[in-house]
Amino acid sequence: MHQARCSGVLSAVSRHDPETLVGLQSMLNDDTLPEILQYASIGTGDLAALAGTALTLVGERPATRPIRPMPPWTADSALPFMSSSALTIGRACLAIDELRRLDDASAVIYMLSFIALGGNHSTFSEAAATAAASPKASEVTSRLRNMLASSIPGQWKPARIQDPYGLRVYPVVQATVTASLNSLAAQVERSMNVAQENPLFDVDGDQVIHHGAFYQASLSLELDGTTLALALTAPITHSRIRMINDPETNFARPFLATGPEGFSGLMMVEYVAAGAIAEIRNAAQPASVGTLVLSRGAEEDATFASQAVHQLERSVAAYRVLLACELIGTIRLLRHRNMIPHLAGIASAAATLCAALPDSPADRDLRSDLAIADELLDDLGRLTVAE
């Protein structure tokens, strides 16, 4: 939030007292943070959060560390300082950063599942990429094709002529996540590099301008779009988890169980994945369709961009769990089929990282496996960057 607010304060049209910027910089450099309430942001300015930040800067509210109070602000600085969506924009930046890492990790985990399940590589062909109308489909397909070529020495023999959707449509569906994420990042960048305070000070025109540029309609729509893209890809991920647990596709027993009949294996991991999908779907109800009349009718609508970013954060957290569930299953299946020693390239590097996952197929408490898998996701994503 502080960095986003600093960006707006630096704009000439904001006309903030320069000491405001000095105070914000001190907060960042000294890690002296204000206490922020969750509510009161509706997509037309994070009023409560920024008012609380200002009150902390002038010493009227406590900070996480001792702070040297600034002199009281005048209305010329106080009003435009609050008229910003810096907190929402800052949270969006953090969500974008995490989702980019998870998008990369998803490609690696998918490739491991593809190999473990004997997927048909024709879904990565240039002809298939050309036939897909989804933005970024060619880019995603090309990356997967290169990953498979480096991961499996020799000729690849698919187990099926036509795969279930979990394997076959991943390049198209995941491309929508990448495209939505890029579009959201572009909107956030635009939002950070303009001063949307109301009023604006037009120095050249020597006038004060009252406007509606603070109304975060575009940001709200982009946030909703990215959350919906996650809701679209989540069931496809679950399809692969189902395949890993299904004896018709996993070359083993149900749920990759070992021991006496009736052992559950990875059954509960599939239930955890289903719960994560329920959270993603619940968060995918578009916040931008909401409306509310405030301020005695002067503000007769709201974009609820702050709610949209909160819903995206919930989806990203659940998506991490979903990917961790798939990772546990695909590593167990690769081990069961004794395929790990034969992997090369990025798949071999991923399997080496995943050696941290317990190598016991016996029925047991799998919470620690999920925690380890969660911690591995960022490192797996970095493999695609180094590729």
Side-chain angles (χ1 to χ4, degrees):
M1 176 183 76
H2 290 65
Q3 290 178 335
R5 190 72 285 244
C6 284
S7 177
V9 169
L10 283 169
S11 174
V13 296
S14 69
R15 302 294 287 175
H16 283 281
D17 187 326
E19 289 301 314
T20 303
L21 181 60
V22 174
L24 286 171
Q25 287 178 319
S26 297
M27 270 189 161
L28 285 171
N29 295 336
D30 299 336
D31 196 27
T32 304
L33 304 178
E35 296 178 357
I36 299 299
L37 298 177
Q38 179 176 350
Y39 301 113
S41 297
I42 59 170
T44 58
D46 297 321
L47 304 182
L50 290 166
T53 301
L55 290 172
T56 303
L57 283 169
V58 300
E60 293 189 25
R61 278 192 180 182
T64 55
R65 293 184 179 182
I67 188 172
R68 178 179 295 179
M70 296 176 59
W73 294 8
T74 65
D76 288 345
S77 289
L79 181 59
F81 183 83
M82 290 195 307
S83 183
S84 164
S85 294
L87 176 59
T88 298
I89 293 169
R91 291 169 66 184
C93 288
L94 294 175
I96 290 167
D97 179 66
E98 182 171 5
L99 190 49
R100 284 200 190 282
R101 288 182 273 119
L102 293 180
D103 189 26
D104 289 336
S106 171
V108 177
I109 297 169
Y110 167 78
M111 184 53 58
L112 293 175
S113 294
F114 182 91
I115 294 169
L117 292 165
N120 193 316
H121 61 279
S122 62
T123 192
F124 306 147
S125 67
E126 292 185 11
T130 301
S134 300
K136 296 294 180 179
S138 293
E139 178 182 311
V140 171
T141 301
S142 176
R143 178 165 75 164
L144 294 172
R145 186 167 58 245
N146 294 335
M147 288 171 62
L148 180 64
S150 72
S151 297
I152 300 295
Q155 188 173 3
W156 177 251
K157 296 181 179 179
R160 294 163 294 277
I161 295 175
Q162 182 167 274
D163 284 327
Y165 278 11
L167 294 175
R168 185 156 40 115
V169 305
Y170 173 87
V172 177
V173 175
Q174 200 66 22
T176 64
V177 176
T178 303
S180 296
L181 188 55
N182 289 346
S183 183
L184 171 60
Q187 180 59 43
V188 169
E189 183 177 356
R190 288 191 295 269
S191 299
M192 288 191 67
N193 290 311
V194 294
Q196 297 178 318
E197 290 89 343
N198 180 40
L200 293 178
F201 295 87
D202 181 4
V203 178
D204 294 333
D206 191 24
Q207 58 181 330
V208 176
I209 298 176
H210 297 271
H211 61 90
F214 56 84
Y215 190 77
Q216 301 294 342
S218 295
L219 179 58
S220 184
L221 288 171
E222 294 290 353
L223 289 164
D224 281 345
T226 305
T227 305
L228 285 166
L230 286 178
L232 181 66
T233 196
I236 300 302
T237 304
H238 192 269
S239 172
R240 294 190 298 277
I241 295 173
R242 179 197 58 77
M243 292 178 68
I244 289 168
N245 285 338
D246 192 336
E248 292 187 4
T249 48
N250 70 4
F251 316 97
R253 286 173 52 186
F255 308 109
L256 295 178
T258 61
E261 290 295 327
F263 271 34
S264 61
L266 296 179
M267 183 180 70
M268 287 309 302
V269 172
E270 185 173 339
Y271 276 75
V272 171
I277 291 175
E279 174 70 359
I280 293 171
R281 285 176 170 167
N282 182 266
Q285 174 65 32
S288 53
V289 301
T291 186
L292 201 65
V293 179
L294 294 166
S295 194
R296 300 176 63 193
E299 300 178 13
E300 62 270 35
D301 196 13
T303 69
F304 292 103
S306 54
Q307 180 64 29
V309 77
H310 176 64
Q311 292 176 194
L312 179 59
E313 290 167 342
R314 289 170 52 199
S315 293
V316 170
Y319 189 51
R320 285 193 73 93
V321 174
L322 184 61
L323 292 180
C325 290
E326 182 182 359
L327 181 60
I328 290 171
T330 193
I331 291 298
R332 182 177 288 199
L333 181 54
L334 287 168
R335 287 169 174 169
H336 172 81
R337 300 191 65 195
N338 195 32
M339 300 182 76
I340 290 179
H342 306 290
L343 299 177
I346 196 169
S348 177
T352 299
L353 282 174
C354 293
L357 284 169
D359 194 12
S360 170
D363 275 16
R364 54 190 169 78
D365 189 343
L366 294 170
R367 287 176 296 178
S368 62
D369 297 58
L370 282 167
I372 293 169
D374 180 272
E375 293 177 357
L376 288 170
L377 294 179
D378 290 343
D379 288 336
L380 289 173
R382 279 189 280 269
L383 292 177
T384 65
V385 177
E387 186 185 16

